[in-house]
């Protein structure tokens, strides 16, 4: 079972346009779609679509439309009552694949709600293969909360996908509580390693930067690089996977799908290069779907993903 935590869940509303978005203009929507969202929820949606057990942990009150959506989608979840309903995030999708996102900040979470979320997570972690801590933190949550959870859930395999202040707070604790898997994108990897993000478009440079995090205690770093594919660094080596040729329609959820693909491959016992291959296959499949659509196994083609071993990039 894979357990996901989404501290700042959302209803993701996607508006698709026939024509390019023009600032100040009036547009008519081609389609409008609302789906349960938030990075951890997205991971659970992909895991569930693959037929693997998953539980999404999140704040939510009775009657919250987001919880109804999860129930309707048959996503097993555990909601902790908190202060307000989930936020709504807006995505404007253009036909050429350009997406514009407007994300609400989310409702503040108090100490009682955070404690209840941590307790629920610890309870489920006892029978989980992986626990995923994913996404932004809502207002009022200490930036080091993910680091706290890593200490509390010691002994559980944990994957983390976050950014900005929570990511930097986690980085400060790597020597004492490193996750088994860290999934940054190029900008987040640059934040962690104080590197120019444009340099990390080069897979060798990205692998070298990821290797410094492995040297600090992270078991594996899966760095997604958009159109440049992804790199995976572990203590045993580093690999680059080139993204297959697709027609991009939306980047929303691509990183979450890549993380889910990696975890699914890990549950199957696949070797590191094949875990990377599966991650890129899932991330690319997500980018080829419109709006906030997320891929199932039938959308993916791992055989179209070329994986190359890189020279050891780890700091000594």
């Amino acid at each position: 079972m894979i357990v996901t935590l989404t501290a700042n869940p959302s209803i993701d509303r996607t508006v698709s346009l026939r024509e390019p978005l023009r600032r100040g203009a009036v547009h008519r929507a081609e389609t409008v779609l609302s789906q349960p969202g938030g990075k951890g929820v997205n991971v659970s949606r992909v895991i569930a679509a693959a037929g693997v057990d998953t539980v999404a942990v999140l704040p939510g009150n009775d009657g919250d439309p987001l919880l109804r959506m999860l129930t309707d989608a048959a996503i097993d979840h555990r909601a902790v009552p908190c202060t307000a309903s989930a936020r709504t995030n807006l995505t404007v999708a253009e036909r050429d694949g350009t997406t514009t996102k407007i994300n609400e900040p989310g409702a503040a979470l108090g100490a009682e709600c955070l404690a209840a979320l941590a307790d629920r997570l610890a309870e489920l972690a006892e029978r989980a293969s992986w626990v995923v801590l994913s996404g932004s933190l809502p207002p009022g949550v200490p930036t080091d909360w993910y680091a706290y959870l890593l200490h509390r859930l010691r002994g559980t395999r944990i994957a983390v996908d976050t950014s900005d202040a929570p990511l930097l707070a986690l980085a400060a604790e790597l020597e004492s509580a490193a996750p088994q898997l860290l999934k940054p994108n190029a900008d987040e990897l640059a934040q962690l390693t104080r590197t120019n993000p444009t340099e990390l478009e080069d897979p060798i440079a990205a692998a070298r930067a990821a290797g410094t995090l492995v040297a600090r205690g992270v078991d594996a770093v899966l760095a997604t690089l958009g159109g440049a594919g992804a790199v995976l660094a572990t203590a045993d080596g580093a690999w680059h996977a080139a993204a297959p040729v697709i027609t991009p329609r939306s980047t929303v959820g691509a990183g979450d799908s890549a993380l889910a693909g990696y975890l699914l491959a890990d549950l199957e016992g696949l070797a590191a290069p094949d875990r990377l291959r599966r991650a890129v296959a899932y991330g690319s499949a997500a980018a080829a779907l419109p709006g906030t659509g997320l891929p199932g196994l039938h959308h993916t083609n791992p055989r179209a993903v070329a994986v190359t071993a890189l020279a050891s990039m780890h700091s000594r």
Side-chain angles (χ1 to χ4, degrees):
M1 178 178 68
I2 295 175
V3 175
T4 66
L5 171 68
T6 309
N8 202 11
S10 61
I11 294 173
D12 287 347
R13 187 172 179 85
T14 301
V15 177
S16 297
L17 301 180
R18 291 186 178 89
E19 69 280 351
L21 177 67
R22 288 173 290 126
R23 185 181 179 196
V26 175
H27 294 278
R28 296 187 184 277
E30 186 172 24
T31 60
V32 179
L33 177 66
S34 293
Q35 294 175 305
K39 293 181 70 62
V41 167
N42 288 343
V43 172
S44 279
R45 286 173 58 196
V46 177
I47 297 293
V52 174
D53 289 342
T54 182
V55 178
V57 177
L58 69 164
N61 303 307
D62 290 342
D64 190 327
L66 172 61
L67 302 187
R68 291 199 299 271
M69 288 181 175
L70 289 172
T71 299
D72 292 344
I75 304 299
D76 192 6
H77 57 279
R78 304 290 187 276
V80 172
C82 288
T83 55
S85 296
R87 60 186 175 146
T88 297
N89 292 338
L90 177 65
T91 298
V92 179
E94 302 172 52
R95 282 191 169 181
D96 66 354
T98 301
T99 54
T100 303
K101 293 201 68 175
I102 303 173
N103 291 347
E104 295 182 5
L109 300 183
E112 184 176 344
C113 180
L114 291 179
L117 285 169
D119 289 345
R120 185 59 57 89
L121 203 61
E123 174 189 339
L124 291 167
E126 294 180 1
R127 51 191 177 90
S129 299
W130 282 93
V131 170
V132 178
L133 311 179
S134 194
S136 63
L137 296 177
V141 179
T143 57
D144 64 352
W145 193 54
Y146 282 151
Y148 159 76
L149 290 174
L150 276 165
H151 284 284
R152 177 161 181 183
L153 300 176
R154 195 181 298 274
T156 302
R157 290 200 297 171
I158 298 177
V160 180
D161 180 7
T162 190
S163 60
D164 300 323
L167 181 63
L168 296 179
L170 177 66
E173 300 281 339
L174 287 183
E175 281 73 14
S176 60
Q180 281 64 46
L181 175 63
L182 194 59
K183 198 223 73 65
N185 60 26
D187 287 338
E188 293 155 358
L189 183 59
Q191 288 179 345
L192 284 167
T193 59
R194 299 181 180 180
T195 307
N196 186 328
T198 59
E199 296 178 13
L200 301 184
E201 295 174 3
D202 175 8
I204 293 178
R208 183 178 295 112
T212 66
L213 301 174
V214 173
R216 294 180 61 194
V218 181
D219 286 355
V221 177
L222 172 64
T224 51
L225 307 176
V231 298
L232 175 65
T234 74
D236 296 323
W239 300 265
H240 170 245
V245 177
I246 63 167
T247 299
R249 300 184 70 184
S250 172
T251 58
V252 177
D256 306 326
S257 299
L259 175 55
Y262 181 97
L263 297 178
L264 287 168
D266 177 81
L267 292 186
E268 294 179 23
L270 298 185
D274 292 316
R275 297 197 299 269
L276 175 61
R277 179 177 285 108
R278 187 77 65 83
V280 171
Y282 265 89
S284 298
L289 293 172
T292 53
L294 296 174
L297 181 60
H298 62 286
H299 292 111
T300 69
N301 184 12
R303 288 178 295 181
V305 179
V307 176
T308 303
L310 303 174
S312 176
M313 298 294 166
H314 304 310
S315 296
R316 301 294 183 185

